[in-house]
């Protein structure tokens, strides 16, 4: 059975890149070699044809002024014949004296015809470049034939092909090794990133970052993206630690009160006013219930598991009900402006979000809380304003952090759990909207915004203004 790890190594980026580069070079090099050999052969053949034409021209000049049987020099590499109009050889080089005509070409005087032949009729000789030139002489029309041996071309072509055959695999081997090495060098930053990420263990090295190469390319952008991800993970883990610490502290307080009440009773029987203690314990249990419920809701929202039902909800009714509730809580002046507005959303969640916002306003208000329901462009907005100390610019985003109390002097009962506004923002965002705060010393101002959408747009929240 094949080793999967070995197959993965053979199928790695480095090896595949070097093999791909080698294959491309092999194809182009093979094509270039064939073209080079053919061009070299053609060039050498053309040079020999030119030489034969020059030789035939020289001989034709002699034939025009001398007798047809003039003496002609030659050797096995360069052959010359002179024929009359009937094709009878009247003159030839000494190496082919008495041989039949070299070619059947019979050009008219002034015409030149060239060709190549793998074998001449005159003897068993190799390939030649043959030039036939028609000319005139004192004895009538003549044909001068000059032939140049192509054996040098054949030898040169064979040598070139042999050299290419030897050098071809060597070049491919050099390309394969160099591309493998260069690919490794190019991937070295990636390997450095991998080793650095692999060395980050658990949550003890959250500040660790991967090295960013100074290349301004895809790898450097990968490293920067990796560092951004590590920074987000660090912030997330730190926020989780803070949340766990704050949640533990919040849960410990009511549990400590309940435990202390029972320990006092155990140490001093009969000294405890149980009707009063029972009321206090029930209040702390209610507080525990709210804390657990809020933390579960936030956990579901963090995991994108917050279920939102899209039913018709009258926002004006919710605003009016909250105004009446604030009156019962003891807020002196409650101003409500709520034109009829109907939204498709989760009534229970929207009611909870608005209640958290109003509770926050009631805790900070001196005597007045104002609720305004309106529409701004494509957004329905519920503005909750109070006449309290307002929100400092540096706290506009901080108030939506979990377990945050801007006034340390407030007790936990009067200051809330510190989860109300974060929950309201999560609910708003689950409906496709948002919850934002405005800074200012003239009182607190929170805006619950919901997008206006038409019916029939899928699972997205809808809003209908009546």
């Amino acid at each position: 059975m094949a080793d999967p790890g070995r197959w993965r190594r053979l199928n790695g980026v480095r090896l595949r890149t070097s093999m791909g580069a080698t294959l491309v070079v092999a194809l182009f090099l093979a094509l270039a070699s064939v073209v080079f050999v053919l061009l070299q052969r053609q060039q050498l053949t053309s040079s020999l044809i030119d030489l034969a034409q020059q030789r035939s021209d020289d001989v034709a000049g002699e034939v025009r002024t001398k007798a047809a049987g003039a003496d002609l020099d030659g050797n096995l590499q360069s052959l010359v014949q002179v024929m009359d109009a009937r094709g009878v050889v009247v003159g030839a080089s000494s190496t082919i004296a008495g041989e039949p005509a070299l070619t059947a070409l019979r050009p008219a005087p002034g015409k030149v015809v060239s060709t190549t032949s793998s074998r001449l009729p005159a003897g068993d000789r190799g390939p030649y470049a043959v030039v036939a030139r028609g000319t005139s002489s004192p004895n009538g029309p003549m044909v001068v034939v000059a032939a140049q041996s192509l054996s040098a071309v054949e030898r040169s072509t064979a040598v070139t092909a042999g050299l290419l055959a030897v050098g071809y695999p060597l070049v491919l081997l050099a390309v394969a090794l160099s591309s493998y090495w260069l690919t490794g060098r190019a991937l070295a930053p990636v390997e450095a990133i991998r080793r650095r990420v692999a060395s980050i263990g658990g949550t003890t090295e959250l500040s660790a970052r991967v090295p960013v190469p100074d290349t301004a390319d895809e790898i450097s952008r990968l490293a920067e993206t990796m560092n951004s991800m590590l920074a987000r993970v660090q912030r997330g883990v730190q926020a989780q630690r803070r949340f766990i610490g704050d949640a533990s502290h919040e849960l410990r307080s009511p549990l400590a009160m309940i435990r202390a009440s029972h320990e006092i009773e155990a140490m001093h029987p009969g000294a405890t006013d149980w009707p009063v203690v029972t009321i206090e314990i029930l209040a702390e249990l209610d507080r525990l219930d709210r804390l657990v419920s809020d933390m579960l809701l936030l956990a579901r929202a963090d995991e994108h598991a917050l279920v939102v039902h899209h039913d018709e909800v009258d926002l004006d009714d919710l605003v009016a009900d909250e105004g009446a509730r604030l009156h019962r809580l003891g807020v002196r002046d409650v101003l409500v402006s709520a034109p009829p507005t109907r939204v498709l959303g989760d009534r229970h969640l929207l009611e909870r979000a608005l209640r958290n916002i109003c509770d926050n306003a009631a805790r900070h208000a001196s005597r007045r809380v104002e609720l305004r329901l309106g529409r701004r462009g494509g957004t329905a907005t519920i503005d909750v304003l109070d006449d309290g100390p307002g929100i400092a610019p540096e706290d506009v985003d901080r108030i939506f952090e979990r377990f945050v109390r801007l006034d340390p002097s407030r007790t936990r009962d009067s200051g809330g759990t510190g989860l109300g506004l974060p929950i309201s923002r999560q609910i708003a965002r689950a409906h496709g909207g948002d919850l934002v705060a405005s800074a200012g010393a003239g009182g607190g101002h929170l805006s619950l915004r919901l997008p206006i959408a038409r019916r029939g747009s899928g699972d997205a929240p809808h809003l209908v203004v009546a």
Side-chain angles (χ1 to χ4, degrees):
M1 184 176 180
D3 183 7
R6 181 181 181 185
W7 168 249
R8 285 194 297 269
R9 290 191 297 272
L10 293 177
N11 199 36
V13 174
R14 189 176 183 182
L15 184 60
R16 284 189 286 116
T17 301
S18 60
M19 290 178 64
T22 304
L23 178 60
V24 171
V25 171
L27 294 176
F28 278 98
L29 187 59
L31 180 61
S33 299
V34 172
V35 173
F36 175 76
V37 170
L38 293 178
L39 289 177
Q40 183 198 41
R41 182 184 181 89
Q42 182 183 6
Q43 184 65 30
L44 293 175
T45 302
S46 178
S47 298
L48 292 177
I49 291 176
D50 291 341
L51 183 61
Q53 288 180 345
Q54 181 63 40
R55 176 67 171 157
S56 67
D57 186 52
D58 294 341
V59 174
E62 294 181 6
V63 170
R64 282 193 296 270
T65 58
K66 298 181 181 180
D71 186 24
L72 303 172
D73 295 331
N75 51 49
L76 290 177
Q77 302 300 319
S78 179
L79 308 177
V80 180
Q81 278 185 343
V82 179
M83 298 177 292
D84 60 16
R86 295 172 299 173
V88 178
V89 178
V90 297
S93 302
S94 59
T95 54
I96 55 172
E99 297 286 350
L102 296 177
T103 180
L105 298 174
R106 301 292 184 270
K111 303 293 183 180
V112 179
V113 179
S114 60
T115 185
T116 57
S117 175
S118 60
R119 178 171 298 181
L120 294 179
D124 186 14
R125 296 179 174 89
Y128 277 79
V130 180
V131 175
R133 181 184 297 272
T135 186
S136 58
S137 72
N139 297 331
M142 295 290 180
V143 175
V144 177
V145 178
Q148 287 293 133
S149 175
L150 297 178
S151 58
V153 175
E154 297 294 329
R155 289 195 299 272
S156 177
T157 302
V159 170
T160 302
L163 292 176
L164 290 175
V166 173
Y168 184 76
L170 297 178
V171 171
L172 293 184
L173 179 61
V175 170
L177 294 177
S178 60
S179 60
Y180 187 82
W181 179 76
L182 289 174
T183 304
R185 288 291 302 271
L187 294 177
V190 178
E191 177 62 18
I193 294 173
R194 186 201 65 80
R195 288 196 301 267
R196 188 69 182 106
V197 173
S199 67
I200 300 176
T203 59
T204 60
E205 299 182 22
L206 294 177
S207 60
R209 297 294 183 267
V210 300
V212 180
D214 188 18
T215 54
D217 57 4
E218 291 80 0
I219 296 179
S220 64
R221 291 194 292 273
L222 171 64
E224 292 170 356
T225 303
M226 185 72 71
N227 285 335
S228 298
M229 182 196 69
L230 291 174
R232 291 194 299 271
V233 170
Q234 181 182 11
R235 290 193 297 269
V237 172
Q238 289 174 346
Q240 186 181 42
R241 288 176 175 175
R242 288 195 302 269
F243 179 77
I244 293 174
D246 293 338
S248 301
H249 183 68
E250 294 289 338
L251 292 173
R252 188 181 295 115
S253 297
L255 292 175
M257 183 271 173
I258 296 172
R259 180 184 181 89
S261 299
H262 285 81
E263 287 179 348
I264 292 173
E265 174 61 22
M267 295 176 63
H268 306 283
T272 304
D273 188 357
W274 276 110
V276 175
V277 172
T278 300
I279 294 175
E280 294 177 351
I281 290 176
L282 290 176
E284 293 299 326
L285 291 175
D286 289 339
R287 176 178 173 78
L288 279 174
D289 182 66
R290 289 195 304 271
L291 277 172
V292 173
S293 177
D294 289 346
M295 287 188 292
L296 287 176
L297 188 145
L298 287 172
R300 288 196 299 269
D302 290 341
E303 296 296 327
H304 304 287
L306 186 61
V307 179
V308 178
H309 301 286
H310 294 96
D311 302 319
E312 292 187 353
V313 179
D314 292 321
L315 288 181
D316 52 304
D317 289 346
L318 291 184
V319 173
D321 291 344
E322 281 304 309
R325 190 179 68 87
L326 291 177
H327 269 300
R328 293 193 299 271
L329 290 177
V331 179
R332 295 183 181 180
D333 297 328
V334 179
L335 304 179
V336 177
S337 175
T341 305
R342 182 173 295 167
V343 66
L344 294 181
D346 194 308
R347 180 183 180 87
H348 173 71
L349 292 178
L350 291 176
E351 183 180 28
R352 184 171 186 175
L354 185 57
R355 176 165 295 188
N356 290 341
I357 299 171
C358 292
D359 286 342
N360 178 79
R363 282 193 297 270
H364 293 85
S366 297
R367 58 176 296 165
R368 180 175 57 84
V369 174
E370 184 175 356
L371 285 76
R372 301 174 187 167
L373 173 59
R375 174 174 176 172
R376 300 172 186 171
T379 303
T381 304
I382 302 177
D383 293 304
V384 181
L385 304 93
D386 63 71
D387 60 349
I391 304 173
E394 62 272 15
D395 293 329
V396 167
D397 292 323
R398 185 167 171 262
I399 62 173
F400 297 108
E401 296 179 5
R402 299 167 186 182
F403 297 111
V404 168
R405 295 182 181 84
L406 299 183
D407 187 356
S409 64
R410 291 182 179 268
T411 64
R412 295 187 180 275
D413 290 335
S414 63
T417 64
L419 295 177
L421 294 183
I423 287 175
S424 296
R425 171 173 273 190
Q426 292 285 1
I427 292 173
R429 290 180 175 178
H431 282 78
D434 203 356
L435 176 63
V436 297
S438 300
H445 182 187
L446 294 172
S447 297
L448 177 62
R449 301 172 181 174
L450 298 172
I452 295 176
R454 296 180 180 179
R455 292 176 180 269
S457 60
D459 295 331
H462 310 274
L463 185 81
V464 179
V465 179

